[in-house]
Amino acid sequence: MANSLQTKTTQDERVLSIIEPVAEDLGYDVVRVRVMGGKRSTLQVMAERQSDGEMEVGDCETLSRAISTVLEVEDPITEAYHLEVSSPGLDRPLTRPQDFTNWTGHLARIELDRMVEGRKRFRGIIDGVEDDTIALILDGEDDAAQIPFDWISDAKLLITDALIEAGQTKKQSKTTKTEETK
């Protein structure tokens, strides 16, 4: 699967190529990188722990310090910028095929880079991934639409009661494990 939704611009790609090895060495996956302009540019890095897909404040601090050091040396952004390291959040972007696998059964919005059946935007329940194709059960349909990953230009989870419950269950499970190890 050649397409990556982790970046939008060549500058984003350059930053990702610099920080991804550092993040991986620390046990994190980079979900998305965006350099956004404004009065002062912002470098937004969304990441999660490889072990459990979580990202807490301490993780953000650890990753921020590590990538700040390498970014100072490599200097891929010429103007002054603010570094923002965060979790992908509940309504997370889906940027890699594994994200679609991990979030099978949840509602997503997908935007394509081309028109299909007269539209570019689709909304439905993720029904899995096979080879380079995302299966999405569209609202009001019984059969899953097959969408090539390479056609996707943007995708994210949509907040539903089921997604909120999945997030709470994950946190409760983590709390129980922490209490068991004490």
Side-chain angles (χ1 to χ4, degrees):
M1 295 186 197
N3 185 20
S4 173
L5 302 174
Q6 291 175 280
T7 61
K8 286 245 187 252
T9 67
T10 54
Q11 186 176 38
D12 294 348
E13 290 171 11
R14 170 106 170 92
V15 171
L16 178 63
S17 72
I18 293 167
I19 68 170
E20 195 165 41
V22 174
E24 287 176 355
D25 286 349
L26 292 171
Y28 299 102
D29 284 328
V30 177
V31 174
R32 189 175 80 183
V33 171
R34 292 288 187 274
V35 178
M36 298 173 284
K39 286 186 177 183
R40 181 173 181 165
S41 293
T42 298
L43 168 56
Q44 181 190 66
V45 176
M46 288 184 183
E48 61 191 5
R49 288 191 300 252
Q50 293 170 347
S51 61
D52 60 7
E54 294 289 311
M55 193 71 168
E56 295 175 358
V57 173
D59 295 305
C60 293
E61 292 169 350
T62 299
L63 186 55
S64 179
R65 280 193 291 276
I67 63 179
S68 287
T69 303
V70 73
L71 289 171
E72 283 179 28
V73 173
E74 296 292 330
D75 202 23
I77 304 171
T78 54
E79 67 273 358
Y81 65 92
H82 170 74
L83 174 61
E84 177 185 292
V85 176
S86 68
S87 78
L90 199 54
D91 58 343
R92 63 175 295 131
L94 302 168
T95 61
R96 304 157 298 174
Q98 75 188 45
D99 294 335
F100 290 91
T101 299
N102 294 344
W103 295 99
T104 293
H106 290 281
L107 184 63
R109 185 189 73 226
I110 296 177
E111 190 165 325
L112 306 183
D113 65 0
R114 63 198 72 197
M115 297 290 279
V116 174
E117 296 182 7
R119 62 187 193 164
K120 286 182 148 188
R121 289 192 181 130
F122 296 86
R123 175 186 148 118
I125 302 294
I126 302 168
D127 196 38
V129 178
E130 189 173 322
D131 297 324
D132 63 348
T133 303
I134 310 301
L136 190 71
I137 300 173
L138 303 175
D139 292 345
E141 301 285 329
D142 292 328
D143 296 326
Q146 303 300 313
I147 302 171
F149 183 76
D150 287 344
W151 291 8
I152 300 172
S153 62
D154 193 41
K156 69 180 271 184
L157 287 179
L158 297 176
I159 295 179
T160 62
D161 290 342
L163 184 61
I164 292 168
E165 186 176 317
Q168 289 172 340
T169 301
K170 196 173 190 178
K171 283 186 181 179
Q172 287 171 350
S173 170
K174 184 179 162 201
T175 302
T176 303
K177 287 179 186 174
T178 302
E179 290 172 356
E180 288 172 0
T181 55
K182 286 184 180 179

